[in-house]
Amino acid sequence: MKPCLDVFSFVGGVQSTAVLVLAATGRIDCSLFLFANVGADSENPATLRYMEQHSKPFAWEHGLRIEEVAKSRTLYEHALSSPTTVAVPMRMSNGAPGNRTCTDRWKITPIAKRLRELGFTKDAPATMGLGISADEWQRTRTDSGHKHIKIAYPLLDLKLSRSDCESVIRESALPVPPRSSCWFCPYHQVAVWERMRRENPELFRRAAEFERLMSEKRKTLGKDRVYLSSRAKPLEEAFPEEPAGLFD
């Protein structure tokens, strides 16, 4: 049976883009894609470029709508300006991340607000799709935390893995998008930080400065310092610059 959705929570990555393509080709019934933008200063710049160059034109060409929702203050702005909270799940001295409240406050809450504005209620809830593929089924949940939203998993219904999603995207003649996340996300894997250090040193430098500022804030509150990577060291120590080759 074809998955039918009132809305899809679009984040701009591989799984979301695959759902967009599947909706365009009639394998999923959905025309509204809500993108909770945590801020142009916070989202992965490559994700925002991909959306402007590929996702939005593709949606428009196929009669689909990508609508952006956002809080008045970006995640980055809040993290820098709040005197008492760090706002992102920075890692402790053992490498474990803190509480992940940013997803709820900057992603889920703005979408929930928009769905209320569109008229969905606890008696007539929206069926909202999430982009979890078959290889990450363990991330699923049944309760959205909002009575006017029911969660659905169209990629699980279609038994599609992340690799399948990449194939769906390529078959549509779209390039495969980069992973979506904030550029300063503490959930980045080691390989992501290594690639950022190597391929985007200016963004890496900004991440290291963000990490330093968050640790300084913690120090003023009498708390331990925090880190962005699971190596639990300052980024520039955890991922030192590779020496130039002999013939570089």
Short mmCIF file of all heavy atoms in Angstrom, two decimals, residues 91-92 95 186 188 190 193 211 227-233 235 238-239:
data_model
loop_
_atom_site.label_atom_id
_atom_site.label_comp_id
_atom_site.label_asym_id
_atom_site.label_seq_id
_atom_site.Cartn_x
_atom_site.Cartn_y
_atom_site.Cartn_z
N ARG A 91 29.80 17.42 24.49
CA ARG A 91 30.30 16.19 25.11
C ARG A 91 31.09 16.48 26.39
O ARG A 91 31.82 17.46 26.46
CB ARG A 91 31.15 15.41 24.11
CG ARG A 91 30.31 14.86 22.95
CD ARG A 91 31.13 14.09 21.96
NE ARG A 91 30.30 13.56 20.88
CZ ARG A 91 29.72 12.38 20.89
NH1 ARG A 91 29.87 11.57 21.93
NH2 ARG A 91 28.99 11.98 19.86
N MET A 92 30.91 15.59 27.34
CA MET A 92 31.59 15.72 28.63
C MET A 92 33.00 15.12 28.55
O MET A 92 33.44 14.67 27.50
CB MET A 92 30.78 15.00 29.71
CG MET A 92 29.34 15.47 29.84
SD MET A 92 29.18 17.18 30.37
CE MET A 92 28.46 17.94 28.90
N GLY A 95 33.49 11.85 26.90
CA GLY A 95 33.09 11.75 25.49
C GLY A 95 31.61 11.58 25.26
O GLY A 95 31.15 11.60 24.12
N PRO A 186 27.66 18.09 18.03
CA PRO A 186 28.52 17.15 18.77
C PRO A 186 28.29 15.69 18.40
O PRO A 186 29.07 14.84 18.82
CB PRO A 186 28.13 17.41 20.24
CG PRO A 186 27.51 18.76 20.24
CD PRO A 186 26.79 18.87 18.93
N HIS A 188 28.53 14.61 15.38
CA HIS A 188 29.36 14.27 14.23
C HIS A 188 30.28 13.10 14.56
O HIS A 188 30.89 13.06 15.63
CB HIS A 188 30.25 15.45 13.83
CG HIS A 188 29.55 16.55 13.10
ND1 HIS A 188 28.43 16.35 12.33
CD2 HIS A 188 29.85 17.87 12.98
CE1 HIS A 188 28.05 17.49 11.79
NE2 HIS A 188 28.88 18.43 12.18
N VAL A 190 33.75 10.86 14.04
CA VAL A 190 35.14 11.26 13.89
C VAL A 190 35.48 11.55 12.43
O VAL A 190 36.16 12.54 12.11
CB VAL A 190 36.07 10.17 14.46
CG1 VAL A 190 37.51 10.38 14.00
CG2 VAL A 190 36.00 10.17 15.99
N TRP A 193 34.56 15.10 11.35
CA TRP A 193 35.51 16.13 11.79
C TRP A 193 36.81 16.07 10.99
O TRP A 193 37.38 17.11 10.64
CB TRP A 193 35.80 15.97 13.28
CG TRP A 193 34.66 16.30 14.18
CD1 TRP A 193 34.02 15.48 15.05
CD2 TRP A 193 34.00 17.57 14.30
NE1 TRP A 193 33.02 16.14 15.72
CE2 TRP A 193 32.98 17.43 15.27
CE3 TRP A 193 34.17 18.82 13.69
CZ2 TRP A 193 32.15 18.48 15.64
CZ3 TRP A 193 33.34 19.87 14.05
CH2 TRP A 193 32.34 19.70 15.01
N GLU A 211 33.38 25.78 20.21
CA GLU A 211 33.69 24.88 21.32
C GLU A 211 34.35 25.65 22.47
O GLU A 211 34.00 25.47 23.64
CB GLU A 211 34.60 23.77 20.82
CG GLU A 211 35.00 22.75 21.87
CD GLU A 211 36.02 21.77 21.30
OE1 GLU A 211 37.13 22.23 20.90
OE2 GLU A 211 35.71 20.58 21.25
N TYR A 227 33.21 19.52 25.02
CA TYR A 227 33.88 19.29 23.74
C TYR A 227 32.86 19.01 22.64
O TYR A 227 31.71 18.67 22.91
CB TYR A 227 34.85 18.11 23.86
CG TYR A 227 35.81 18.24 25.01
CD1 TYR A 227 35.52 17.68 26.26
CD2 TYR A 227 37.00 18.95 24.87
CE1 TYR A 227 36.39 17.83 27.33
CE2 TYR A 227 37.88 19.10 25.94
CZ TYR A 227 37.57 18.53 27.16
OH TYR A 227 38.43 18.68 28.21
N LEU A 228 33.31 19.11 21.40
CA LEU A 228 32.44 18.81 20.27
C LEU A 228 32.63 17.39 19.73
O LEU A 228 31.74 16.87 19.08
CB LEU A 228 32.67 19.82 19.13
CG LEU A 228 31.98 21.17 19.29
CD1 LEU A 228 32.37 22.10 18.15
CD2 LEU A 228 30.47 21.02 19.36
N SER A 229 33.76 16.77 19.98
CA SER A 229 33.98 15.43 19.44
C SER A 229 34.05 14.39 20.54
O SER A 229 34.33 14.70 21.70
CB SER A 229 35.27 15.39 18.60
OG SER A 229 36.38 15.04 19.38
N SER A 230 33.83 13.15 20.17
CA SER A 230 33.87 12.04 21.12
C SER A 230 35.28 11.79 21.66
O SER A 230 35.45 11.04 22.63
CB SER A 230 33.35 10.77 20.46
OG SER A 230 34.12 10.43 19.31
N ARG A 231 36.30 12.41 21.07
CA ARG A 231 37.66 12.26 21.58
C ARG A 231 37.91 13.07 22.85
O ARG A 231 38.96 12.94 23.47
CB ARG A 231 38.66 12.65 20.48
CG ARG A 231 38.70 11.63 19.34
CD ARG A 231 39.71 11.98 18.28
NE ARG A 231 39.83 10.89 17.30
CZ ARG A 231 40.55 10.95 16.19
NH1 ARG A 231 41.24 12.06 15.90
NH2 ARG A 231 40.60 9.93 15.36
N ALA A 232 36.92 13.91 23.20
CA ALA A 232 36.96 14.67 24.46
C ALA A 232 38.25 15.46 24.62
O ALA A 232 38.88 15.48 25.68
CB ALA A 232 36.75 13.73 25.65
N LYS A 233 38.66 16.10 23.55
CA LYS A 233 39.78 17.03 23.54
C LYS A 233 39.35 18.24 22.71
O LYS A 233 38.45 18.12 21.88
CB LYS A 233 41.03 16.42 22.90
CG LYS A 233 41.63 15.23 23.61
CD LYS A 233 42.85 14.72 22.83
CE LYS A 233 43.48 13.52 23.50
NZ LYS A 233 44.64 13.02 22.72
N LEU A 235 39.01 20.52 19.68
CA LEU A 235 39.03 20.04 18.29
C LEU A 235 40.41 20.13 17.65
O LEU A 235 40.84 19.20 16.96
CB LEU A 235 38.04 20.85 17.45
CG LEU A 235 36.56 20.47 17.53
CD1 LEU A 235 35.75 21.34 16.58
CD2 LEU A 235 36.35 18.99 17.18
N ALA A 238 42.38 17.31 19.01
CA ALA A 238 41.84 16.01 18.64
C ALA A 238 42.06 15.71 17.16
O ALA A 238 42.23 14.55 16.77
CB ALA A 238 40.35 15.96 18.96
N PHE A 239 42.09 16.78 16.34
CA PHE A 239 42.26 16.61 14.89
C PHE A 239 43.31 17.61 14.41
O PHE A 239 42.98 18.62 13.79
CB PHE A 239 40.93 16.83 14.18
CG PHE A 239 39.82 15.93 14.67
CD1 PHE A 239 38.95 16.35 15.66
CD2 PHE A 239 39.70 14.63 14.19
CE1 PHE A 239 37.95 15.52 16.13
CE2 PHE A 239 38.71 13.79 14.67
CZ PHE A 239 37.84 14.23 15.64
#
